[in-house]
Protein backbone atom coordinates (compact mmCIF):
# COMPACT_ATOMS: atom_id res chain seq x y z
CA UNK A 1 0.00 0.00 0.00
CA UNK A 2 1.47 3.39 -0.92
CA UNK A 3 1.62 6.03 1.81
CA UNK A 4 -1.28 8.11 0.43
CA UNK A 5 -3.67 5.17 0.54
CA UNK A 6 -2.45 4.30 4.03
CA UNK A 7 -3.04 7.85 5.30
CA UNK A 8 -6.47 7.86 3.73
CA UNK A 9 -7.45 4.53 5.26
CA UNK A 10 -6.19 5.61 8.67
CA UNK A 11 -8.04 8.88 8.60
CA UNK A 12 -11.34 7.37 7.50
CA UNK A 13 -11.20 4.63 10.09
CA UNK A 14 -10.17 7.00 12.90
CA UNK A 15 -12.85 9.63 12.18
CA UNK A 16 -15.66 7.11 12.00
CA UNK A 17 -14.50 5.43 15.23
CA UNK A 18 -14.44 8.82 16.97
CA UNK A 19 -17.92 9.67 15.73
CA UNK A 20 -19.22 6.29 16.85
CA UNK A 21 -17.95 6.65 20.44
CA UNK A 22 -20.89 7.41 22.75
CA UNK A 23 -19.14 7.86 26.08
CA UNK A 24 -15.79 8.94 27.53
CA UNK A 25 -14.56 5.39 28.14
CA UNK A 26 -15.32 4.32 24.57
CA UNK A 27 -13.57 7.39 23.23
CA UNK A 28 -10.48 6.65 25.31
CA UNK A 29 -10.23 3.23 23.66
CA UNK A 30 -10.43 4.92 20.26
CA UNK A 31 -7.67 7.33 21.32
CA UNK A 32 -5.33 4.47 22.30
CA UNK A 33 -6.11 2.61 19.08
CA UNK A 34 -5.53 5.54 16.70
CA UNK A 35 -3.29 7.98 18.53
CA UNK A 36 -1.41 5.82 21.03
CA UNK A 37 2.34 6.42 20.78
CA UNK A 38 3.60 3.00 21.81
CA UNK A 39 1.34 0.76 19.75
CA UNK A 40 -1.67 0.88 17.42
CA UNK A 41 -2.40 2.40 14.07
CA UNK A 42 -0.32 5.57 14.40
CA UNK A 43 2.77 3.50 15.02
CA UNK A 44 2.05 1.41 11.88
CA UNK A 45 1.61 4.59 9.88
CA UNK A 46 4.93 5.89 11.11
CA UNK A 47 6.51 2.74 9.81
CA UNK A 48 5.06 3.53 6.36
CA UNK A 49 6.73 6.95 6.42
CA UNK A 50 9.99 5.31 7.39
CA UNK A 51 9.90 3.26 4.21
CA UNK A 52 9.67 6.05 1.63
CA UNK A 53 12.74 7.23 -0.21
CA UNK A 54 14.88 9.68 1.73
CA UNK A 55 14.25 12.60 -0.66
CA UNK A 56 10.44 12.24 -0.28
CA UNK A 57 10.54 11.91 3.46
CA UNK A 58 10.06 15.62 4.41
CA UNK A 59 6.94 15.92 2.20
CA UNK A 60 5.45 12.65 3.37
CA UNK A 61 6.32 13.52 6.97
CA UNK A 62 4.32 16.67 6.62
CA UNK A 63 1.32 14.74 5.27
CA UNK A 64 1.63 12.39 8.22
CA UNK A 65 1.58 15.30 10.67
CA UNK A 66 -1.49 16.82 8.97
CA UNK A 67 -3.46 13.61 9.20
CA UNK A 68 -2.49 13.08 12.83
CA UNK A 69 -3.44 16.66 13.75
CA UNK A 70 -6.78 16.33 12.05
CA UNK A 71 -7.62 13.15 13.94
CA UNK A 72 -6.40 14.66 17.23
CA UNK A 73 -8.61 17.70 16.74
CA UNK A 74 -11.66 15.55 15.96
CA UNK A 75 -11.01 13.50 19.08
CA UNK A 76 -10.73 16.56 21.31
CA UNK A 77 -13.92 17.98 19.91
CA UNK A 78 -15.75 14.75 20.61
CA UNK A 79 -14.29 14.66 24.13
CA UNK A 80 -15.73 18.10 24.90
CA UNK A 81 -19.13 17.09 23.62
CA UNK A 82 -19.24 13.88 25.65
CA UNK A 83 -18.04 15.63 28.82
CA UNK A 84 -21.10 17.90 28.90
CA UNK A 85 -23.92 15.58 27.94
CA UNK A 86 -26.64 17.99 29.28
CA UNK A 87 -25.58 20.70 26.93
CA UNK A 88 -25.29 18.61 23.80
CA UNK A 89 -28.08 19.21 21.36
CA UNK A 90 -29.44 15.71 21.73
CA UNK A 91 -29.61 15.82 25.53
CA UNK A 92 -31.37 19.05 26.60
CA UNK A 93 -33.71 18.33 29.48
CA UNK A 94 -36.32 21.06 29.17
CA UNK A 95 -37.78 20.14 32.55
CA UNK A 96 -34.65 21.26 34.43
CA UNK A 97 -34.82 24.73 36.02
CA UNK A 98 -32.78 27.39 34.24
CA UNK A 99 -29.69 28.46 36.14
CA UNK A 100 -27.77 30.80 33.90
CA UNK A 101 -30.24 33.65 33.43
CA UNK A 102 -31.91 35.64 36.20
CA UNK A 103 -35.46 36.64 35.44
CA UNK A 104 -36.07 40.37 35.47
CA UNK A 105 -38.64 41.92 37.76
CA UNK A 106 -41.28 44.57 37.41
CA UNK A 107 -40.32 47.95 38.83
CA UNK A 108 -41.66 48.47 42.38
CA UNK A 109 -43.81 51.37 41.16
CA UNK A 110 -45.27 49.18 38.41
CA UNK A 111 -46.01 46.54 41.03
CA UNK A 112 -47.68 49.17 43.20
CA UNK A 113 -49.82 50.39 40.30
CA UNK A 114 -50.89 46.83 39.52
CA UNK A 115 -51.86 46.37 43.19
CA UNK A 116 -53.75 49.68 43.15
CA UNK A 117 -55.79 48.71 40.10
CA UNK A 118 -56.52 45.37 41.67
CA UNK A 119 -57.72 46.82 44.99
CA UNK A 120 -59.68 49.78 43.62
CA UNK A 121 -61.17 47.49 40.97
CA UNK A 122 -62.95 45.64 43.78
CA UNK A 123 -64.83 48.90 44.51
CA UNK A 124 -66.05 48.93 40.93
CA UNK A 125 -63.56 51.44 39.49
CA UNK A 126 -62.28 50.80 35.97
CA UNK A 127 -59.05 52.20 34.53
CA UNK A 128 -59.00 55.19 32.15
CA UNK A 129 -56.04 56.78 30.41
CA UNK A 130 -55.07 60.27 29.32
CA UNK A 131 -52.18 62.02 27.53
CA UNK A 132 -49.06 63.22 29.36
CA UNK A 133 -48.80 66.24 27.06
CA UNK A 134 -51.83 68.37 27.81
CA UNK A 135 -53.37 71.66 26.82
CA UNK A 136 -54.18 74.42 29.29
CA UNK A 137 -57.87 73.74 28.96
CA UNK A 138 -57.69 70.20 30.39
CA UNK A 139 -54.90 70.86 32.87
CA UNK A 140 -56.41 74.09 34.28
CA UNK A 141 -59.42 75.84 32.79
CA UNK A 142 -61.95 73.00 32.79
CA UNK A 143 -60.77 72.19 36.33
CA UNK A 144 -61.91 75.65 37.47
CA UNK A 145 -58.33 76.92 37.84
CA UNK A 146 -58.46 80.61 36.80
CA UNK A 147 -55.89 82.33 34.58
CA UNK A 148 -54.25 84.15 37.48
CA UNK A 149 -53.96 81.10 39.73
CA UNK A 150 -50.36 80.53 40.95
CA UNK A 151 -50.49 76.88 39.84
CA UNK A 152 -50.49 78.13 36.22
CA UNK A 153 -47.25 80.04 36.63
CA UNK A 154 -44.76 79.08 33.90
CA UNK A 155 -42.18 78.57 36.64
CA UNK A 156 -44.42 75.95 38.28
CA UNK A 157 -44.91 73.91 35.10
CA UNK A 158 -43.09 72.35 32.18
CA UNK A 159 -44.58 74.29 29.26
CA UNK A 160 -43.58 73.19 25.78
CA UNK A 161 -41.95 75.67 23.45
CA UNK A 162 -44.40 77.26 20.98
CA UNK A 163 -42.54 75.57 18.13
CA UNK A 164 -43.86 72.21 19.33
CA UNK A 165 -47.54 73.16 19.36
CA UNK A 166 -49.58 70.95 17.07
CA UNK A 167 -49.54 72.21 13.47
CA UNK A 168 -52.88 73.43 12.14
CA UNK A 169 -54.39 73.61 15.64
CA UNK A 170 -55.33 76.88 17.32
CA UNK A 171 -52.31 78.13 19.24
CA UNK A 172 -53.04 76.78 22.70
CA UNK A 173 -50.10 76.50 25.10
CA UNK A 174 -49.26 72.90 25.93
CA UNK A 175 -47.43 71.45 28.89
CA UNK A 176 -46.45 68.19 30.54
CA UNK A 177 -49.48 67.56 32.74
CA UNK A 178 -48.95 68.64 36.35
CA UNK A 179 -51.72 66.41 37.70
CA UNK A 180 -53.80 63.43 36.62
CA UNK A 181 -56.99 65.43 37.31
CA UNK A 182 -56.87 66.17 33.57
CA UNK A 183 -58.26 62.68 32.98
CA UNK A 184 -61.42 63.53 34.96
CA UNK A 185 -62.26 66.06 32.25
CA UNK A 186 -61.29 63.78 29.37
CA UNK A 187 -63.50 60.97 30.70
CA UNK A 188 -66.51 63.21 31.44
CA UNK A 189 -66.26 64.71 27.94
CA UNK A 190 -66.67 61.23 26.51
CA UNK A 191 -69.11 59.54 28.92
CA UNK A 192 -72.35 60.18 30.73
CA UNK A 193 -72.90 59.39 34.44
CA UNK A 194 -72.74 57.13 36.32
CA UNK A 195 -68.92 57.18 36.22
CA UNK A 196 -66.46 55.31 38.38
CA UNK A 197 -62.89 55.46 37.07
CA UNK A 198 -59.28 55.71 38.18
CA UNK A 199 -56.34 56.86 36.11
CA UNK A 200 -52.73 56.08 37.00
CA UNK A 201 -49.71 57.73 35.47
CA UNK A 202 -46.89 60.23 35.45
CA UNK A 203 -47.13 63.91 36.31
CA UNK A 204 -44.43 66.58 36.00
CA UNK A 205 -43.48 69.60 38.11
CA UNK A 206 -40.25 71.59 38.22
CA UNK A 207 -39.76 70.89 41.95
CA UNK A 208 -36.33 70.84 43.52
CA UNK A 209 -35.39 67.19 43.79
CA UNK A 210 -34.81 65.82 47.31
CA UNK A 211 -35.68 62.73 49.37
CA UNK A 212 -39.44 63.36 49.08
CA UNK A 213 -39.74 65.39 45.85
CA UNK A 214 -39.11 64.63 42.21
CA UNK A 215 -39.76 66.56 38.99
CA UNK A 216 -41.70 63.51 37.77
CA UNK A 217 -43.84 61.24 39.92
CA UNK A 218 -46.97 59.12 39.72
CA UNK A 219 -50.55 59.73 40.79
CA UNK A 220 -53.74 57.76 40.91
CA UNK A 221 -56.74 59.93 40.13
CA UNK A 222 -60.21 58.73 41.07
CA UNK A 223 -63.60 59.99 39.98
CA UNK A 224 -67.07 58.84 40.93
CA UNK A 225 -70.15 60.62 39.55
CA UNK A 226 -73.73 59.62 40.12
CA UNK A 227 -77.18 60.60 41.31
CA UNK A 228 -76.29 60.89 45.01
CA UNK A 229 -72.58 60.42 45.61
CA UNK A 230 -71.53 61.63 49.08
CA UNK A 231 -68.47 62.73 51.00
CA UNK A 232 -69.04 59.82 53.39
CA UNK A 233 -68.55 57.41 50.47
CA UNK A 234 -65.36 59.20 49.49
CA UNK A 235 -63.90 58.83 52.98
CA UNK A 236 -64.91 55.17 53.15
CA UNK A 237 -63.37 54.36 49.77
CA UNK A 238 -60.07 56.07 50.67
CA UNK A 239 -59.88 54.46 54.13
CA UNK A 240 -60.63 50.98 52.80
CA UNK A 241 -58.24 51.44 49.91
CA UNK A 242 -55.38 52.58 52.15
CA UNK A 243 -55.82 49.85 54.76
CA UNK A 244 -56.10 47.17 52.08
CA UNK A 245 -52.80 48.24 50.52
CA UNK A 246 -50.89 49.25 53.67
CA UNK A 247 -52.42 47.12 56.42
CA UNK A 248 -54.77 47.74 59.32
CA UNK A 249 -52.21 49.69 61.35
CA UNK A 250 -52.33 52.75 59.06
CA UNK A 251 -54.45 55.70 60.13
CA UNK A 252 -55.93 57.98 57.46
CA UNK A 253 -56.60 61.61 58.37
CA UNK A 254 -58.66 64.18 56.46
CA UNK A 255 -57.85 67.90 56.81
CA UNK A 256 -60.04 70.69 55.41
CA UNK A 257 -58.30 72.28 52.44
CA UNK A 258 -58.92 74.03 49.14
CA UNK A 259 -58.68 72.87 45.54
CA UNK A 260 -60.34 74.85 42.72
CA UNK A 261 -61.96 71.71 41.30
CA UNK A 262 -63.56 70.42 44.53
CA UNK A 263 -65.91 71.94 47.10
CA UNK A 264 -65.53 71.03 49.90
CA UNK A 265 -61.90 69.88 49.63
CA UNK A 266 -59.71 67.82 51.94
CA UNK A 267 -56.09 66.92 52.15
CA UNK A 268 -55.41 63.28 53.01
CA UNK A 269 -52.61 62.18 55.34
CA UNK A 270 -51.45 58.75 56.47
CA UNK A 271 -49.66 57.84 59.67
CA UNK A 272 -46.06 56.67 59.33
CA UNK A 273 -44.54 55.84 62.69
CA UNK A 274 -44.99 58.95 64.81
CA UNK A 275 -45.36 61.21 61.75
CA UNK A 276 -48.10 62.15 59.31
CA UNK A 277 -47.34 62.15 55.60
CA UNK A 278 -49.56 63.80 53.01
CA UNK A 279 -50.70 61.31 50.38
CA UNK A 280 -53.07 63.37 48.28
CA UNK A 281 -56.10 65.57 47.93
CA UNK A 282 -59.80 64.89 47.47
CA UNK A 283 -63.23 66.42 47.66
CA UNK A 284 -66.67 66.79 46.12
CA UNK A 285 -66.46 67.75 42.45
CA UNK A 286 -67.05 71.50 42.09
CA UNK A 287 -70.30 72.43 40.23
CA UNK A 288 -68.21 74.54 37.83
CA UNK A 289 -66.30 71.43 36.72
CA UNK A 290 -69.54 69.54 36.14
CA UNK A 291 -70.84 72.48 34.09
CA UNK A 292 -67.64 72.64 32.04
CA UNK A 293 -68.30 69.12 30.71
CA UNK A 294 -72.02 69.74 30.19
CA UNK A 295 -73.36 67.91 33.26
CA UNK A 296 -76.15 69.40 35.35
CA UNK A 297 -74.90 69.93 38.95
CA UNK A 298 -78.51 69.90 40.13
CA UNK A 299 -78.87 66.35 38.88
CA UNK A 300 -75.50 64.68 39.52
CA UNK A 301 -72.82 64.94 42.20
CA UNK A 302 -69.47 63.30 42.55
CA UNK A 303 -66.24 62.93 44.42
CA UNK A 304 -62.66 62.97 43.19
CA UNK A 305 -59.29 62.15 44.66
CA UNK A 306 -55.65 62.25 43.63
CA UNK A 307 -53.09 60.10 45.47
CA UNK A 308 -49.30 60.04 45.25
CA UNK A 309 -48.29 56.51 44.28
CA UNK A 310 -44.63 56.77 45.34
CA UNK A 311 -45.54 57.60 48.94
CA UNK A 312 -47.69 54.49 49.36
CA UNK A 313 -44.92 52.33 47.96
CA UNK A 314 -42.35 54.04 50.22
CA UNK A 315 -44.36 53.40 53.36
CA UNK A 316 -45.11 49.80 52.49
CA UNK A 317 -41.45 48.99 51.78
CA UNK A 318 -39.86 51.44 54.24
CA UNK A 319 -38.10 53.34 51.44
CA UNK A 320 -36.81 56.63 52.79
CA UNK A 321 -35.68 58.34 49.57
CA UNK A 322 -37.88 58.80 46.48
CA UNK A 323 -34.81 59.09 44.23
CA UNK A 324 -34.15 55.34 44.60
CA UNK A 325 -37.11 54.69 42.28
CA UNK A 326 -35.54 56.49 39.32
CA UNK A 327 -31.87 55.54 39.56
CA UNK A 328 -32.28 52.10 38.01
CA UNK A 329 -29.81 50.51 40.40
CA UNK A 330 -30.44 46.77 40.15
CA UNK A 331 -29.24 46.24 43.71
CA UNK A 332 -32.25 48.30 44.80
CA UNK A 333 -34.71 47.02 42.19
CA UNK A 334 -33.91 43.33 42.70
CA UNK A 335 -35.25 43.47 46.26
CA UNK A 336 -38.89 43.72 45.21
N1 LIG B 1 -54.61 67.25 41.51
C1 LIG B 1 -54.24 67.54 42.90
C2 LIG B 1 -52.71 67.68 42.95
O1 LIG B 1 -52.04 67.15 42.13
C3 LIG B 1 -54.67 66.44 43.80
C4 LIG B 1 -56.15 66.35 43.88
C5 LIG B 1 -56.85 67.09 44.84
C6 LIG B 1 -56.87 65.55 43.03
C7 LIG B 1 -58.21 67.02 44.96
C8 LIG B 1 -58.26 65.48 43.13
C9 LIG B 1 -58.90 66.23 44.10
O2 LIG B 1 -59.00 64.72 42.33
O3 LIG B 1 -60.25 66.15 44.21
O4 LIG B 1 -52.23 68.30 43.86
Amino acid sequence: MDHNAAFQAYETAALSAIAAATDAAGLEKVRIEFLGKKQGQLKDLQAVVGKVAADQRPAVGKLFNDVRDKVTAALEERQKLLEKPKKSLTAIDIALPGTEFKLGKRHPLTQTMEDFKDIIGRFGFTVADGPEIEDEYHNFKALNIPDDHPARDPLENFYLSTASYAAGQPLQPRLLRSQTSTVQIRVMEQQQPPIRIVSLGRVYRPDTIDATHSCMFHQMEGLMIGADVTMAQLKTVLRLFATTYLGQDVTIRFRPSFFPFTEPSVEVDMSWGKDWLEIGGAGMVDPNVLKAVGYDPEVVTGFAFGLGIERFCMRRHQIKDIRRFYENDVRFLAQF
Side-chain angles (χ1 to χ4, degrees), residues 12-212:
T12 310
L15 293 181
S16 71
I18 288 167
T22 52
D23 57 22
L27 191 62
E28 177 61 10
K29 284 203 190 100
V30 174
R31 189 190 66 78
I32 294 167
E33 158 90 31
F34 287 94
L35 291 168
K37 296 220 169 63
K38 297 208 181 83
Q39 55 184 33
Q41 304 231 16
L42 196 66
K43 200 109 187 15
D44 299 345
L45 213 55
Q46 235 163 357
V48 173
V49 179
K51 282 190 197 121
V52 301
D55 61 337
Q56 285 186 38
R57 212 165 288 155
V60 176
K62 187 178 176 309
L63 278 179
F64 170 84
N65 286 341
D66 289 350
V67 172
R68 186 199 52 205
D69 291 349
K70 190 167 175 187
V71 170
T72 306
L75 186 111
E76 282 168 359
E77 183 115 324
R78 188 78 184 147
Q79 264 170 345
K80 271 190 222 146
L81 209 68
L82 292 179
E83 264 168 25
K84 299 185 192 165
K86 293 207 175 74
K87 284 183 183 161
S88 81
L89 272 178
T90 49
I92 290 176
D93 182 348
I94 56 162
L96 284 174
T99 52
E100 297 195 2
F101 302 102
K102 279 197 186 137
L103 277 184
K105 295 186 177 175
R106 287 176 308 153
H107 192 279
L109 289 175
T110 308
Q111 293 182 29
T112 306
M113 289 193 276
E114 293 302 317
D115 289 346
F116 274 28
K117 289 182 216 168
D118 191 44
I119 295 168
I120 203 74
R122 295 181 219 157
F123 298 95
F125 287 78
T126 56
V127 177
D129 224 350
E132 287 182 24
I133 295 178
E134 263 298 3
D135 49 47
E136 285 194 305
Y137 178 77
H138 290 90
N139 203 91
F140 301 120
K141 192 171 180 3
L143 286 163
N144 198 34
I145 303 175
D147 285 344
D148 57 357
H149 193 281
R152 294 178 77 149
D153 192 314
L155 294 177
E156 299 293 326
N157 294 285
F158 288 113
Y159 277 91
L160 274 62
S161 71
T162 42
S164 69
Y165 297 165
Q169 303 269 318
L171 195 75
Q172 196 192 166
R174 297 198 299 161
L175 71 159
L176 299 179
R177 69 178 178 194
S178 62
Q179 50 184 355
T180 45
S181 304
T182 54
V183 187
Q184 292 184 29
I185 304 301
R186 294 207 169 263
V187 168
M188 289 190 285
E189 282 171 341
Q190 300 291 324
Q191 296 175 33
Q192 289 303 309
I195 285 176
R196 213 186 285 196
I197 59 98
V198 287
S199 187
L200 300 89
R202 299 187 189 95
V203 298
Y204 302 85
R205 290 177 199 175
D207 282 345
T208 306
I209 297 166
D210 62 21
T212 52

Side-chain angles (χ1 to χ4, degrees), residues 179 181 184 205 219 221 259 261-262 281-283 304-306:
Q179 50 184 355
S181 304
Q184 292 184 29
R205 290 177 199 175
Q219 289 184 330
E221 192 76 17
F259 295 102
F261 34 92
T262 43
F305 59 84

